[in-house]
Amino acid sequence: MANYELQPEEVVLYEGAVTCKVYKGNFLMTLTSQKLVFEKEKGLFKKERELVDIIPLESVKFYNDAAQIKQKGSEVEVQTVEKNLTIVFSGMLEARKFTGKIVDAVTGTTLAKRSSNKIKDAFTLVDDTLGLDTRGTIKGVLEQGVKGTILNGIGKKR
């Protein structure tokens, strides 16, 4: 990155060549832990980078605790407070890699943590709605088996 200077606590998460429908043309895009940086190469013989735009990651919109970053094939749509960006990658795998990194950076968690939190929230919702102890039931099934849980459960109710 020639024109953009990284902050001391900032790290590069992704770099790649992309096209963007908002800025029209080919760009070098850099995703850092805090910003999304677009640069354009200038010059025929001596290549120089010209800074086009810097988008802070805290400007990405959220809806129902989900970052508004959507991937469709090789395109990724990022909704920010200022504008909606459609970034086109060379392939679907590159787009998926970028999407995972930007969602991790925006939310401050990894995919495994977000999945774990969804499962915990689902168990809590079932427990609150039906008045059950879902975690205790699953633990009982794993420890005693299905037959033991049914027999012990029937024995306790009488």
Side-chain angles (χ1 to χ4, degrees), residues 1 4 6 11-16 28-32 35-39 49 98:
M1 291 188 344
Y4 179 72
L6 288 174
V11 295
V12 174
L13 302 174
Y14 179 87
E15 277 187 313
L28 294 169
M29 184 187 64
T30 305
L31 171 67
T32 71
K35 296 177 180 99
L36 194 56
V37 180
F38 290 93
E39 295 176 309
R49 291 186 186 182
F98 169 76

Side-chain angles (χ1 to χ4, degrees), residues 129-149:
T129 305
L130 301 176
L132 297 174
D133 181 17
T134 309
R135 290 172 186 90
T137 304
I138 292 172
K139 181 180 175 188
V141 168
L142 292 175
E143 288 176 351
Q144 302 170 11
V146 176
K147 183 178 175 185
T149 302

